[in-house]
Amino acid sequence: MNRLRMAVLAATGVVLGLGVIQGPSASVGDPAPTPTAPAVPSRVALGRIEPASDVIMLAAPQGSRTGRIAELLVREGDVAEAGQAVALMDNVQVLVAQVRQAEVTLTQREARLAQRLVELEAEEASLASALEQERANRDRAKWEHERMNRLRQGGVYRDTALIDKRLALDSAEQKVVAAELALARARVRDAEGRRLEEAVLRSEVEMARASASQMQAEQEMATLRAPSHGTVLRINTRPGEVPGSDGIMLLGDLRRMRVRAEVFETDLPGIRPGQPVQVASRALPQPLAGSVEAIGLRVARQTIVREDPAATLDARVVEVMVALDARSSALAAGLTGLQVRAFFGAVP
């Protein structure tokens, strides 16, 4: 009898257990409940927030004159305008002196050129005058020779006197030839109409001007300036340090932000320019909104991966630029480099 009672209780327990697992049975007339699935975006991609202008790495000037950082004129978080000085190299004083020396050399060469041009004009005028004088002397010697020849024919003078006049005439003619050659040499011009000595002097002036320009360029490079409007995101080199491969500082225009999303190549057909995008992250107080601005033209390996250990590490992706609206740009302005998820909505 006891064994029969225990068997009944065991059977009852099994039935009750099945009821708990299966839950209450539905009535025959009740409709079957329809499961409600959460709304899932058509595409999801990992990305990073960055300035729309890209992050600019301000590097040190290259060359043998590169020195250390002497002074930083900005701090992290400061806004620099285009052309604003942000750092000074320690060789700026040496370069200033070299620029001054090059400028003095240029001034000397220019003064020498101006002085020599005046002298060349005077020399040419003097040679022209000397030629006229020699021609006049030749004409006089010729007249005296002809006069002496007529007198000799009349029996007044002997042949020896005529010979002296002939020699004087030959000498005068040789002097005229020499004066003509000297003047012709002074009047020689190059293809640009300049005297040969003037061309040499002008080339020396141009060399001095080029040297001064080079010194000025090197001096300007010793003063590092912001290439465009931007906020100092990070300073990598401090005063006294030699700039390395990571540059001196990072700049970015935070007025317009975007997301650089890495979309799987298989999801690319569902991405179109202008497509609405929502951006989310646990570090954001609320989702950000934007739209697809540009789609990359190159398939590459994925560089942004999820924290999940089972995440794919060698996926092929295409970069898609998502422009954030004004409100979202303001919220993301201080979060450059933040990893986010981009949810691509339906194609418009």
Side-chain angles (χ1 to χ4, degrees):
M1 188 65 179
N2 290 335
R3 291 182 179 178
L4 180 58
R5 183 179 297 175
M6 291 178 64
V8 172
L9 291 175
T12 304
V14 171
V15 173
L16 292 175
L18 290 175
V20 172
I21 293 175
Q22 295 178 355
S25 59
S27 302
V28 177
D30 294 339
T34 302
T36 303
V40 178
S42 58
R43 300 292 184 273
V44 181
L46 295 177
R48 287 193 179 95
I49 294 177
E50 65 180 27
S53 60
D54 286 331
V55 175
I56 300 173
M57 183 184 71
L58 186 61
Q62 300 298 318
S64 59
R65 301 176 185 271
T66 302
R68 303 175 184 270
I69 295 296
E71 183 181 0
L72 290 173
L73 306 179
V74 293
R75 296 177 298 179
E76 291 184 357
D78 288 350
V79 177
E81 299 298 334
Q84 177 181 337
V86 295
L88 298 176
M89 307 298 291
D90 64 355
N91 59 351
V92 64
Q93 296 300 328
V94 175
L95 293 174
V96 168
Q98 291 177 347
V99 167
R100 180 56 184 162
Q101 181 179 358
E103 290 176 343
V104 170
T105 301
L106 175 60
T107 301
Q108 291 177 342
R109 296 286 174 84
E110 290 176 339
R112 180 186 175 189
L113 172 62
Q115 178 183 5
R116 190 57 185 152
L117 287 178
V118 174
E119 293 174 353
L120 290 174
E121 289 288 346
E123 289 176 5
E124 187 173 335
S126 177
L127 290 173
S129 177
L131 175 60
E132 293 299 323
Q133 182 64 39
E134 294 300 336
R135 285 173 175 172
N137 293 338
R138 180 200 59 187
D139 292 343
R140 182 176 179 81
K142 183 178 180 180
W143 177 82
E144 288 183 354
H145 175 266
E146 292 176 351
R147 174 175 174 275
M148 183 64 67
N149 188 34
R150 289 194 299 268
L151 292 175
R152 185 190 64 79
Q153 292 176 357
V156 178
Y157 291 104
R158 293 178 298 178
D159 292 342
T160 57
L162 181 61
I163 292 174
D164 291 340
K165 296 299 181 180
R166 181 62 194 177
L167 292 175
L169 175 60
D170 292 342
S171 176
E173 289 178 345
Q174 291 297 326
K175 290 180 179 180
V176 168
V177 172
E180 289 176 343
L181 290 175
L183 181 59
R185 186 166 53 251
R187 288 177 173 175
V188 173
R189 301 291 190 270
D190 62 7
E192 298 181 3
R194 301 175 301 184
R195 299 181 181 88
L196 299 184
E197 185 175 353
E198 176 187 352
V200 173
L201 293 175
R202 288 190 181 277
S203 65
E204 293 178 355
V205 170
E206 291 303 319
M207 290 179 61
R209 181 175 288 111
S211 178
S213 298
Q214 180 181 357
M215 292 296 103
Q216 290 172 351
E218 293 187 4
Q219 177 190 348
E220 181 63 24
M221 286 192 298
T223 301
L224 303 180
R225 302 180 182 278
S228 59
H229 174 95
T231 299
V232 180
L233 303 178
R234 186 174 66 196
I235 294 178
N236 296 326
T237 308
R238 301 291 174 177
E241 296 178 344
V242 177
S245 59
D246 54 352
I248 298 173
M249 62 183 65
L250 300 180
L251 300 173
D253 188 353
L254 304 184
R255 295 174 298 183
R256 291 183 60 249
M257 304 296 290
R258 71 183 179 190
V259 172
R260 184 185 296 269
E262 294 186 345
V263 177
F264 292 117
E265 58 182 351
T266 54
D267 291 340
L268 195 60
I271 307 299
R272 297 289 185 274
Q275 184 175 358
V277 181
Q278 280 196 338
V279 177
S281 170
R282 287 177 294 180
L284 293 170
Q286 61 189 71
L288 308 179
S291 60
V292 175
E293 183 178 41
I295 301 174
L297 303 176
R298 187 173 67 93
V299 178
R301 292 184 59 181
Q302 183 181 12
T303 61
I304 307 174
V305 295
R306 294 184 287 114
E307 298 177 355
D308 184 1
T312 304
L313 301 179
D314 194 23
R316 310 296 289 182
V317 296
V318 175
E319 288 188 341
V320 175
M321 300 303 175
V322 177
L324 298 178
D325 58 25
R327 179 192 64 84
S328 299
S329 289
L331 292 174
L335 300 173
T336 296
L338 177 67
Q339 182 170 320
V340 297
R341 290 189 178 187
F343 300 89
F344 295 82
V347 179

